[in-house]
Amino acid sequence: QLRNKMKIFALSDLHGKLPTHESLNIEDCDVLCIAGDICPDFRVSGGYEQKQWLKTNFVPWAEIFITDGMVKDVVFIGGNHDWYLEEIFETDQEAGFRKTLPEHIHYLRDDFVVIDGKKFYGTPWTPEFYNWAFMEYEGELDKIFEKIPTDTDVLLSHGPAQGFNDLVEGRGRPLGSKALTRNIHRARPTLAVFGHIHTGSHKPSVIKHRGNTTATTTLVNVSLLDEAYIRAFHPFEFDI
């Protein structure tokens, strides 16, 4: 029997810094969503191997949420610092990676998982900026984001939609994706969580969709770190 409400916690941009479970204050949660930039950057952190780090650090850390009863499922995606996750995509090794994950920990890359009747869709791509992982031009992003199903309940993207929480410290030009904005209007998920712009506003934004006076999408920047990669924010809690 499906529950009427599902409690979701969401966070992003760990960059290899796994906070203590106690400090996150996550409890009685159905799904924990992690919206990319999980790994330490092996290019600048003493040769850290992301593959090994995911196996020996991240996955056991995520599994504790489940075994200790804080969370029922964990859903995560990659981001522009997650080189290993891009590598397994390019070399067709994602299926093998997913098989190594414990039950109730779900890795998504342009696909979805249904949990208790709710559809979670994840995509790691962001607009091109230098030579990082999972980056594409807007024209290609439109082809990628148009795969987001119209019955999506929760969308995990690494980067923001343009015009929503996508200014660094509230200044400068918008850094979000126009293609993502268009496809959120099309797919109309209930909740969209993202990170990437660490100090973009963490106040939830709401899209009211054209042609439908009742359908809305709540968009939230859930990055934990500031621009100096210091923990500055808390996970976001939402009921759907």
Side-chain angles (χ1 to χ4, degrees):
Q1 185 176 359
L2 301 181
R3 292 182 293 273
N4 291 329
K5 283 191 176 182
M6 174 181 284
K7 180 179 285 189
I8 295 168
F9 276 85
L11 56 88
S12 181
D13 293 86
L14 296 167
H15 291 281
K17 300 179 179 182
L18 300 176
T20 65
H21 299 79
E22 293 77 15
S23 71
L24 292 175
N25 196 28
I26 293 172
E27 56 186 28
D28 192 26
C29 171
D30 293 295
V31 182
L32 171 61
C33 297
I34 305 176
D37 274 2
I38 292 167
C39 299
D41 186 351
F42 65 77
R43 295 185 177 190
V44 297
S45 55
Y48 236 133
E49 269 297 335
Q50 290 190 351
K51 177 180 179 179
Q52 186 65 22
W53 184 86
L54 284 164
K55 177 181 178 181
T56 61
N57 292 65
F58 173 71
V59 172
W61 174 83
E63 194 171 20
I64 287 174
F65 285 104
I66 296 168
T67 57
D68 283 7
M70 293 176 277
V71 169
K72 295 182 175 67
D73 287 84
V74 175
V75 178
F76 73 99
I77 64 171
N80 63 293
H81 283 255
D82 297 322
W83 300 101
Y84 174 68
L85 297 178
E86 182 185 58
E87 178 186 326
I88 61 173
F89 158 59
E90 293 178 339
T91 57
D92 199 26
Q93 298 180 62
E94 285 181 329
F97 172 69
R98 288 190 178 93
K99 288 179 181 178
T100 69
L101 297 175
E103 188 180 9
H104 301 296
I105 296 182
H106 314 276
Y107 169 62
L108 301 180
R109 195 270 310 158
D110 301 315
D111 59 2
F112 66 88
V113 62
V114 176
I115 301 172
D116 286 337
K118 305 295 185 184
K119 180 175 283 189
F120 292 75
Y121 187 92
T123 182
W125 303 92
T126 54
E128 191 164 56
F129 179 75
Y130 295 112
N131 188 28
W132 297 95
F134 292 118
M135 290 196 161
E136 281 289 358
Y137 293 108
E138 282 290 337
E140 292 300 315
L141 289 177
D142 208 30
K143 298 174 187 176
I144 292 169
F145 295 149
E146 69 182 11
K147 300 174 186 176
I148 301 169
T150 55
D151 59 347
T152 297
D153 294 293
V154 180
L155 173 64
L156 291 78
S157 63
H158 180 55
Q162 187 169 107
F164 298 92
N165 310 61
D166 63 343
L167 300 178
V168 176
E169 296 181 341
R171 302 188 300 273
R173 65 182 180 87
L175 298 176
S177 167
K178 293 179 181 178
L180 185 57
T181 303
R182 286 193 295 272
N183 280 284
I184 286 176
H185 274 296
R186 176 190 57 79
R188 301 180 178 183
T190 302
L191 174 66
V193 298
F194 51 87
H196 190 46
I197 309 302
H198 293 190
T199 53
S201 172
H202 280 58
K203 182 179 179 180
S205 300
V206 178
I207 288 179
K208 293 183 179 180
H209 298 294
R210 295 180 292 272
N212 188 322
T213 57
T214 60
T216 63
T217 297
T218 299
L219 304 95
V220 193
N221 180 355
V222 295
S223 172
L224 290 184
L225 306 184
D226 63 14
E227 299 301 331
Y229 287 39
I230 295 171
R231 169 84 182 275
F233 306 104
H234 301 286
F236 176 77
E237 179 181 349
F238 192 84
D239 288 334
I240 61 172

